[in-house]
């Protein structure tokens, strides 16, 4: 058994499936086996001394078997912002999974396990170094802390479709590497099937090193050497009821004043805060002449500038 635990310090996981556009609002949860191996490959360039290609390929080959997952509950969410371009702006949907209850949730830990994989001491040491160098999983906003588990006896809740699963399930597709035997056969038939003149990857490392932009320009609908695998996931894994916050109704004001701005050219609405602040400063200046009680009423502070308790002062 080999198992890796992932924690998301920011409480968010960003990852768009290969076959979906960013603005479709789709998120890959859990992270696909393909994405995890790509992240480990990238981490190999951040450690010193770097592993040899043979060492890295041997480890990743052992982890290319389909894993099972123990996935924490989360909430699918997004933010919207306008990204400037050379000529205009474009609306971008930034979709993510709010993992667990948010940042630093001790229970929001994602476990990925390979039940039939046993690593040698050398492979284990290399994996530990890669996980220590792993800064994010998915997009760069998905900060991650990763560690290898010495032992794990948990119950996976996301498994390949051909394994038994308990409870109501939904089917999802995750990207994984082709089995080695299938990959060799695919390489022999791929040029004739696709008609492409691009160079095909010769091994596992080349499959994981492929550049997304290059593949898209060459017209690949999916990275060469990968396959889609159907997994079963709990139906409501991405539906968490938010905590209800108790709202305290503010007391009704006992008195209030409303004023109108009179001018040939009225200030824009965007300056409402600035105009209101000037009114506040003017009232406090007048109240200071009438003693501590008036100052406390309009400023919310005593004569020595200390904030009063109870909020029994004017609001602007």
């Amino acid at each position: 058994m080999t198992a890796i635990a992932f924690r998301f310090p920011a409480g968010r996981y960003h990852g768009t499936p290969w076959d979906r556009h960013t603005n479709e609002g789709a998120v890959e949860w859990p992270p696909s086996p393909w994405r995890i191996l790509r992240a480990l490959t990238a981490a190999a360039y951040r450690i010193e001394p770097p592993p040899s290609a043979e060492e890295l390929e041997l480890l990743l080959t052992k982890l290319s078997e389909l894993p099972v997952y123990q996935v924490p509950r989360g909430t699918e969410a997004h933010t919207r912002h306008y990204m400037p371009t050379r000529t205009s702006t474009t609306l971008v949907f930034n979709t993510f999974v709010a993992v667990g209850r948010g940042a630093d949730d001790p229970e929001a830990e994602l476990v990925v396990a390979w039940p039939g994989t046993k690593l040698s001491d050398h492979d284990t040491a290399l994996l530990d170094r890669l996980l220590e160098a792993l800064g994010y999983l998915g997009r760069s906003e998905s900060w991650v802390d990763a560690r290898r588990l010495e032992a794990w006896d948990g119950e996976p809740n996301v498994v390949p479709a051909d394994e038994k699963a308990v409870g109501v399930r939904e089917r999802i597709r995750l990207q994984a590497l082709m089995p080695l035997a299938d990959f060799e056969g695919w390489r022999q038939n791929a040029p004739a099937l696709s008609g492409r003149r691009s160079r095909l990857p010769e091994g596992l490392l080349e499959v994981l090193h492929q550049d997304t932009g290059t593949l898209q320009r060459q017209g690949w609908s999916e990275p060469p050497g990968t396959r889609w695998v159907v997994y079963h996931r709990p139906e409501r894994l991405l539906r968490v009821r938010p905590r209800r916050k108790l709202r305290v109704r503010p007391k009704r004001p006992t008195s209030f004043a409303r004023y109108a701005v009179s001018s040939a050219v009225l200030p824009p609405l965007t300056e409402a805060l600035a105009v209101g602040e000037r009114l506040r400063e003017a009232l406090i200046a007048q109240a200071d002449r009438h003693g501590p009680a008036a100052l406390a009423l309009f400023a919310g502070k005593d004569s020595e500038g200390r904030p009063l308790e109870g909020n029994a002062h004017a609001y602007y």
Side-chain angles (χ1 to χ4, degrees):
M1 164 74 74
T2 301
I4 300 174
F6 296 96
R7 292 280 303 279
F8 299 88
R12 292 184 177 187
Y13 167 77
H14 300 255
T16 304
W18 170 268
D19 59 341
R20 305 293 292 273
H21 190 273
T22 303
N23 275 13
E24 289 186 57
V27 65
E28 180 187 79
W29 186 245
S32 67
W34 156 259
R35 189 183 297 273
I36 294 171
L37 295 185
R38 288 261 285 185
L40 293 176
T41 304
Y45 290 92
R46 301 183 59 193
I47 60 178
E48 290 292 342
S52 66
E54 292 75 15
E55 291 175 311
L56 182 60
E57 186 162 12
L58 179 61
L59 170 63
L60 297 178
T61 299
K62 295 179 180 179
L63 297 180
S64 62
E65 300 293 331
L66 293 181
V68 296
Y69 300 81
Q70 186 181 67
V71 183
R73 291 189 176 274
T75 303
E76 195 170 4
H78 75 275
T79 60
R80 307 183 187 192
H81 64 276
Y82 284 91
M83 181 180 295
T85 63
R86 291 183 179 180
T87 57
S88 61
T89 57
T90 179
L91 178 61
V92 175
F93 286 79
N94 186 16
T95 310
F96 59 90
V97 171
V99 185
R101 295 292 182 181
D104 291 329
D105 184 353
E107 299 179 359
E109 188 171 70
L110 168 70
V111 177
V112 185
W114 293 262
T117 300
K118 186 175 182 180
L119 302 180
S120 65
D121 293 341
H122 185 78
D123 292 333
T124 299
L126 176 56
L127 178 59
D128 288 342
R129 293 173 62 204
L130 295 177
L131 294 177
E132 186 178 0
L134 192 64
Y136 64 90
L137 180 63
R139 293 214 308 269
S140 58
E141 304 97 314
S142 299
W143 305 338
V144 72
D145 291 328
R147 73 185 195 282
R148 181 180 56 85
L149 300 179
E150 293 290 347
W152 184 70
D153 56 358
E155 187 68 29
N157 57 358
V158 178
V159 297
D162 56 356
E163 297 187 19
K164 292 183 179 180
V166 180
V168 180
R169 298 276 163 163
E170 62 177 338
R171 294 164 61 90
I172 60 171
R173 294 198 317 162
L174 296 180
Q175 209 163 21
L177 292 176
M178 287 182 182
L180 187 58
D182 295 346
F183 175 70
E184 293 299 333
W186 173 84
R187 282 194 79 255
Q188 296 177 5
N189 298 324
L193 293 175
S194 64
R196 295 183 177 88
R197 297 179 181 178
S198 55
R199 180 176 175 273
L200 297 176
E202 295 185 0
L204 172 65
L205 281 186
E206 286 197 26
V207 172
L208 294 171
H209 275 84
Q210 296 174 105
D211 177 70
T212 301
T214 301
L215 294 178
Q216 291 176 340
R217 286 192 297 271
Q218 293 175 351
W220 290 99
S221 59
E222 58 192 54
T226 64
R227 57 175 172 152
W228 289 101
V229 181
V230 176
Y231 271 76
H232 281 163
R233 183 178 71 181
E235 188 178 29
R236 297 185 178 274
L237 191 64
L238 282 178
R239 296 180 184 178
V240 174
R241 296 183 64 182
R243 295 176 180 174
R244 297 187 61 184
K245 294 183 178 180
L246 296 178
R247 295 185 178 181
V248 180
R249 287 189 176 184
K251 295 182 179 179
R252 292 180 178 273
T254 55
S255 59
F256 64 92
R258 184 173 61 182
Y259 69 97
V261 179
S262 178
S263 174
V265 179
L266 295 175
L269 183 62
T270 53
E271 294 185 11
L273 186 62
V275 173
E277 178 62 19
R278 292 177 188 175
L279 172 67
R280 175 179 175 275
E281 292 174 352
L283 288 173
I284 291 176
Q286 293 293 329
D288 194 25
R289 305 175 184 177
H290 296 276
L295 183 63
L297 175 63
F298 288 100
K301 299 178 181 179
D302 60 19
S303 58
E304 297 181 2
R306 293 173 298 194
L308 300 176
E309 296 182 358
N311 294 325
H313 57 77
Y315 287 82
Y316 302 87

